[in-house]
Each structure stands twice: as C-alpha cells, then as structure tokens.
Amino acid sequence: MKTLMIKRNNDVISGMFLPSAIAMILSTTATFLANTVDGLVTSNFLGSSAFSAVSLFTPMVSIMLLFTYFVGVGGQVLCSAKVGVGEKEEANAVFTFSLIVGLFFSAVFVLIAVFSPDIIFRICGVTETERPELYGYIGEYLRGYCLGIPSLIMVQILEPFLIIDNRKKLISISAAVLCITDIAFDFINVLVFKGGVFGMGLATSISLTLQLIVLIFHFAFEGGYFRLSLKGFRAGFLKTIIKSGGLSFMRSMATTLRELFTNHLNLAVAVGTAAIAARGIQGDINRLMFCISIGMGKAILPMTSMYYGADDKNGIKRLFSYSMKVSAYISGGVGAILFLLAPIIVNVYTDDTEITSLAVFGIRCMAAGLIFDTVLVAYQSYLQGIQRIKLVNTLCFAERFFIPVIIAWVLGMIFGSKGVLASVAIGKVVLGILILFIIWANRKEFPRKMEDYMFLPKEFGIEEGAELYSEIRTMDDVMKQSELAREFCLAQGRDARISNLISLFVEEIGGNIITHGRPRTGKEVSADFRLFVKEDKLCLTLRDYCEVFDPQKYYEIHKDDDPESNLGIRMVMKLAKDVRYINSFNTNCTMIII
C-alpha cells in the first residue's frame, strides 16, 4: 500500500511558518534598529568620528550574541524535538538550563566591560595609539551600553521559546517597545541632556531592559507552556545542546570574524574617515537587512527540528519548499526596493558628498546580494534542524568567513575601500555557486528536484506503505480519510474492530475540527492528518491551525455525558497506550499511540 497524500496548499505549514518568521524578523530588526538609530542620531548630532566609533562597536555586540546563539539555539532545537513528541517536562528542563547559562554569560561580559574594557577596544580595532580620535568615543559608548548587556542576551534566549509557546504577538510588542523607547531616549539625550556618546549607549541599555521586562511579564504572570523546572532533566541534555547550538555558534563566530577582519582591512586601506563612515553605513543597513535572514532561519529551525523529531518526511518536505520560496520572495522584493532607495537612505545619515558616493555604492552592492544571503541562512538552518553537522560546518565557514574574507582582501588590495564594499555582493554569488557544487558532488549528479537539496538520511521517515498522510479542509476530506484509515489499518493487519474504531475516531475528531474549529485570523479551518505504523505500534497525529482545543481534556469533561455521543473518540482514548496534546506554533497537535 503506497503512502497517500492529498496535494493542497500549505495552510497549516504557512500558518505556522510565516507568522513566526515575521515575528522573529521584527524582533531581530528591533535589536539592530536600536544600534542603527544610535548611528543615525550620532552621525547627525555628534559628528562622523563619533559615528565611526559607534559603528566599530557593533562586532562586539555580535560576539556577545555568539554565546546567546550557542545556548538559545541549542536549547531551541532540543525543546522543539521534545515538543514534537509531547515531552513537556524535559522541554521545561531544557528551558531552565538555557536561562541559567544565559545569566552566566551575561555576568561574564558585564565584568569584562567594567574591569577590562581595553580587551573590547582592541577587538573593535581601536587603541590609544591606533585611531586615538575614536578611542574616547568608543569608551564612552561602552560605559553606557554595558548596563543593557544582560537584557540583550536574555531577550535573544527567551524569544525562540515564546515562538514555540504561541506568543508571537508578545515578541512584536516587545520589539515595538525597544524601537520606540530607543528612538525617544536617543533624541532626549542629544537635545535635552547633551549626554554625548555615553548617553547614546545608555539610551540603548534602558530600551533593552524595558524590552526584557515585557517578556518576563509573560513567564511570571500569564502562564504558558514553559516553566522553570529541573524535573525531567538529564545529563545528556548538555551534550545535545552543545551539539545543536555549536553549529549556530560557529556560524555566528565566522560572521563576527568576517566583520572584524573587514573592518580592520577597511581601516588599513582607507585614506580618510569617509571610507570608514561609508563602511559603517553599509554595515548598519546590512545588519538591518540581515534581520530578514535571521528571522527566516529562527523560524525554520525549530519547525524542522519538530518534524524531524516526529519522523515526518511529508511535513518536513512541505516546510522546506514553502520556507525557501518565502525567503526568496521577501528578500528579493526588499533588496530591489533598497537598491532604488539607497541615495535617500544615505542622505538620512549625511550630506557629505564623498561619504554619500561610497555609501550608496556599498548599499546597492549589499542589496544585490540580499536574496542569496537569506536563502543561504534559511537553508543552513534547515540543515541544522536535521542534524547535518559536517555539512553545515563546511557551508558555515565557506559562506560566513573564508570566501567573503578572501574576496574582500583581494578586492580591497586592488580597489581600496570600494573593493571592500563590493565584496559583499560578489561573495554571495560565489557562495551560491559553491553550494550548488557541494550538493552536486555529494549526490554525484546535478540537483534538479527539491528533494535533491534536502540531504535527508535514507532511513528517515516511515517505510513505504506504512503511512497515510493528508490535509483535511472539508467534511468530504474527513469522510474520505475516515474510510482510508479503516482500509489502512486492515492492510496493516489490525482486526476489523480496531480498524472501524480508528475510522470512527477520524470521522468524529476531524468533523469536530471542520464543524466547530475556530480558525486563526485570516486562515481557513484545516488540519494535517497522519496515520502510520512504527515499531509495530499504530500512531495517529492530527495537527490543526485553529484555536486551542485539547481532545483529551474534552474527553475527560464529557466522558459521563450521553454514551452514544463521540463513541469513536471515547473508545480510542480508552484503547490508547499514550495520548499527548501539544499546543505550539499556534497549532493543536494530538498524538495517539495504540
């Protein structure tokens, strides 16, 4: 019996992925926008030297976030896998561990900023003997910024868990709080308090702290899936978190090293502060646009881990196809708009003609490479979700460090700062070609189909003929899948009684979803239905994109009602060896093992 699947639009997949991606893009944008606003206000009110110093501090922020990604992403991947199979206690233990480690790293970076700031200055390429005109400015900015370091780190750790916990709106609200307060405090600093560069850093610190307070309110008072708990904790969690988070750590480290090298190279070939300022403007816009890439990656990673943990090959294929298309469409459109608006954007920073000419060129180069950047990051996040560690490491350092650095060095030596600015786009084209050849070499044939790019293990998924998979949107779909479920169970050697009960269960619970389900805003009622055999156990999974509905609780509440009503649900609940319900990514997922 072949695997059956009704081909429809990715309603549940799109309902999970797109809102999550948008929320993560907005949140990541807010974090970098805070630094961008600092740059804009600093450039216009405090001068180009002050702005150059602030822009050179940005790689240090990336270094601090390296450890955040290591802990947060590792915990997110492991939690998503636990959520995929309904293991709530272990997911909470991972959540608790992630927060504790995040607090530890926060304390370490604050201590370095307070007691050994010269370490940070050297990392940023500024010392008292080299670029002394920037030394004082970057020191003042660090003194103001260091108070917000704990909030910067903890916000990035908490947000992925909020995505899983259906709190995307809260993430958007916290991002709005950060943007609004940072802009307001920046202008208050320069217009009222005259606080200089120190005030710019302090304004960002206060805004980051307010953002964290908004998120903490949910965990402290509103309730939800995640709670501080060590129940279910196992020593093996640490190994898995290191393994999963290490990939993001390496990728972020490669990115940070690239930025540091490029900044140092630009400082070496620059003939004046105009080239440094232009690189700073390009860096600001590049980081702002890179939020699209990061948001897509943060959305696809936990969902890939969830489907991979559930051994759901059909689900992961649909997710891969949809997420890659969305990443290309959004980044391509934004890149085209950015290319056209580059002169207007640069004029917001400065009216210096020398800086303007270089900065417009730099932004347009970055805009041309945006679509490659976004798709590559989303692709690597997918590979990380399916645990292709060696492949991701190879792509990571090729894409984030080796090729960009080599191209920046070659073009910088030949064309100076303009070559460094152009390397952003040229590097992306080379990287895209490189990845195509890596896939070609791995498969030993040119990749043509979507699956050729997915690198799924041969043993992944349910064996041929042992799975029934469909998307349900109408009562006709429900009745059809009910009958197919009965035929499937009989074909798998189940007796007529069990087969009929499963059929009746699908009819009743599917009918309840279609008839009584309340869809999320702007969505139709829909559900992904999966019936399969694994290790001689009959497993049924139903995932719908509707308001919260736990069938197990519903059964407990109504089990003493009319014994003739919901007979299929009642009987299957009694027969089930294990029943799990998870509400995550704004979907209800019921898992039943017979």
Side-chain angles (χ1 to χ4, degrees):
M1 182 176 179
K2 294 183 178 180
T3 298
L4 298 173
M5 180 177 178
I6 299 175
K7 294 184 179 295
R8 296 186 185 273
N9 293 329
N10 300 317
D11 191 70
V12 174
I13 296 290
S14 65
M16 289 193 299
F17 178 77
L18 191 55
S20 298
I22 291 173
M24 295 313 299
I25 289 171
L26 290 175
S27 172
T28 310
T29 299
T31 302
F32 287 106
L33 192 58
N35 290 328
T36 302
V37 171
D38 285 350
L40 284 170
V41 177
T42 301
S43 178
N44 282 278
F45 289 91
L46 302 178
S48 60
S49 293
F51 167 70
S52 297
V54 171
S55 69
L56 289 172
F57 181 77
T58 304
M60 188 61 213
V61 177
S62 300
I63 290 175
M64 289 186 284
L65 291 177
L66 276 176
F67 296 91
T68 303
Y69 297 144
F70 174 69
V71 178
V73 172
Q76 178 188 20
V77 170
L78 182 56
C79 261
S80 298
K82 299 300 179 184
V83 167
V85 293
E87 296 177 352
K88 183 174 182 178
E89 289 182 354
E90 293 187 351
N92 274 317
V94 176
F95 168 72
T96 303
F97 175 83
S98 299
L99 295 187
I100 292 172
V101 177
L103 289 172
F104 170 77
F105 284 130
S106 298
V108 169
F109 282 114
V110 169
L111 290 174
I112 292 174
V114 172
F115 295 106
S116 301
D118 281 343
I119 294 175
I120 295 175
F121 299 157
R122 284 195 293 272
I123 290 173
C124 296
V126 176
T127 65
E128 286 185 286
T129 55
E130 296 180 7
R131 300 290 177 180
E133 73 277 13
L134 306 180
Y135 183 82
Y137 287 121
I138 200 168
E140 290 180 30
Y141 188 75
L142 175 62
R143 283 191 289 274
Y145 193 93
C146 70
L147 298 175
I149 290 175
S151 297
L152 173 74
I153 292 175
M154 296 309 296
V155 164
Q156 297 303 314
I157 289 178
L158 286 173
E159 284 180 341
F161 293 101
L162 286 166
I163 287 289
I164 300 173
D165 204 13
N166 308 316
R167 295 299 188 274
K168 294 185 285 292
K169 289 184 179 179
L170 183 64
I171 294 175
S172 299
I173 291 171
S174 72
V177 168
L178 174 64
C179 284
I180 294 170
T181 56
D182 188 60
I183 292 171
F185 293 151
D186 279 349
F187 280 104
I188 290 173
N189 171 60
V190 296
L191 298 177
V192 179
F193 293 109
K194 311 295 183 183
V197 178
F198 168 79
M200 303 304 295
L202 183 61
T204 301
S205 290
I206 296 172
S207 301
L208 287 167
T209 302
L210 291 174
Q211 182 187 23
L212 179 62
I213 290 172
V214 172
L215 299 184
I216 288 177
F217 182 85
H218 161 70
F219 290 103
F221 302 108
E222 292 185 351
Y225 188 86
F226 294 107
R227 282 288 176 270
L228 294 175
S229 173
L230 292 176
K231 189 176 181 180
F233 181 82
R234 297 200 309 267
F237 285 177
L238 180 60
K239 180 180 179 181
T240 306
I241 288 175
I242 292 173
K243 177 181 176 182
S244 301
L247 299 175
S248 290
F249 177 87
M250 297 296 284
R251 183 169 62 195
S252 300
M253 183 175 70
T255 303
T256 302
L257 289 174
R258 181 196 68 199
E259 289 297 307
L260 288 171
F261 176 87
T262 306
N263 278 345
H264 282 272
L265 177 62
N266 196 40
L267 286 169
V269 300
V271 295
T273 58
I276 299 173
R279 168 65 184 165
I281 293 172
Q282 185 196 46
D284 275 352
I285 305 303
N286 190 28
R287 283 182 289 273
L288 189 61
M289 293 300 103
F290 190 56
C291 294
I292 299 174
S293 307
I294 294 175
M296 293 297 177
K298 285 184 175 181
I300 193 175
L301 176 57
M303 293 178 193
T304 300
S305 300
M306 180 184 69
Y307 280 116
Y308 191 72
D311 218 21
D312 188 347
K313 188 173 184 178
N314 285 300
I316 208 168
K317 285 167 62 178
R318 294 168 59 211
L319 174 64
F320 178 80
S321 176
Y322 181 79
S323 61
M324 293 301 125
K325 289 177 183 177
V326 170
S327 298
Y329 292 156
I330 292 179
S331 59
V334 172
I337 294 171
L338 186 64
F339 189 92
L340 296 174
L341 297 182
I344 298 175
I345 294 170
V346 173
N347 285 335
V348 175
Y349 279 88
T350 181
D351 56 2
D352 185 298
T353 55
E354 186 179 3
I355 296 175
T356 298
S357 175
L358 284 171
V360 168
F361 175 78
I363 290 176
R364 284 180 167 167
C365 288
M366 182 273 300
L370 182 60
I371 187 171
F372 293 96
D373 213 6
T374 303
V375 173
L376 290 172
V377 170
Y379 184 57
Q380 289 180 61
S381 296
Y382 157 77
L383 292 173
Q384 186 174 349
I386 63 171
Q387 299 296 307
R388 295 304 298 255
I389 298 174
K390 291 182 180 179
L391 179 59
V392 175
N393 278 333
T394 301
L395 294 180
C396 163
F397 272 93
E399 188 239 342
R400 290 287 143 192
F401 183 70
F402 289 119
I403 289 180
V405 164
I406 291 171
I407 292 176
W409 181 78
V410 171
L411 295 181
M413 292 298 101
I414 298 173
F415 300 106
S417 289
K418 206 162 188 178
V420 175
L421 296 173
S423 67
V424 176
I426 296 173
K428 299 306 175 187
V429 176
V430 174
L431 291 168
I433 296 172
L434 174 66
I435 288 179
L436 181 63
F437 275 100
I438 289 176
I439 297 172
W440 193 346
N442 182 270
R443 292 187 53 82
K444 297 180 174 58
E445 61 179 355
F446 188 82
R448 292 179 175 85
K449 300 181 297 183
M450 177 190 69
E451 289 187 54
D452 295 343
Y453 295 87
M454 294 186 66
F455 287 98
L456 287 172
K458 292 181 179 179
E459 67 277 7
F460 176 73
I462 305 303
E463 64 182 38
E464 184 73 18
E467 181 180 34
L468 177 68
Y469 191 98
S470 69
E471 298 173 66
I472 298 173
R473 294 186 184 178
T474 66
M475 282 304 300
D476 287 341
D477 292 340
V478 172
M479 298 309 295
K480 182 176 181 179
Q481 294 310 309
S482 173
E483 177 59 24
L484 288 174
R486 187 183 70 82
E487 295 175 2
F488 176 84
C489 291
L490 290 172
Q492 294 299 319
R494 267 53 181 184
D495 59 39
R497 176 174 173 271
I498 293 294
S499 300
N500 289 330
L501 283 176
I502 293 295
S503 175
L504 185 58
F505 176 85
V506 173
E507 179 183 335
E508 289 177 353
I509 197 168
N512 284 342
I513 292 172
I514 299 302
T515 305
H516 304 296
R518 291 181 296 170
R520 306 282 178 175
T521 304
K523 289 290 181 180
E524 300 176 356
V525 173
S526 64
D528 286 351
F529 165 64
R530 187 181 180 217
L531 181 63
F532 59 98
V533 176
K534 187 174 183 180
E535 298 176 354
D536 203 38
K537 296 175 184 177
L538 192 62
C539 307
L540 186 149
T541 301
L542 197 65
R543 183 183 299 277
D544 67 81
Y545 193 74
C546 296
E547 299 294 339
V548 176
F549 173 73
D550 184 345
Q552 190 172 14
K553 287 185 178 180
Y554 179 87
Y555 164 70
E556 292 295 331
I557 293 172
H558 297 283
K559 65 181 179 180
D560 295 326
D561 293 351
D562 181 3
E564 298 299 322
S565 65
N566 298 313
L567 181 62
I569 295 177
R570 292 168 183 271
M571 294 302 294
V572 169
M573 289 294 184
K574 288 180 180 179
L575 288 172
K577 179 181 179 181
D578 191 9
V579 178
R580 298 176 183 178
Y581 167 77
I582 300 292
N583 181 257
S584 61
F585 300 106
N586 279 345
T587 63
N588 300 295
C589 185
T590 303
M591 293 161 278
I592 298 175
I593 299 175
I594 305 295

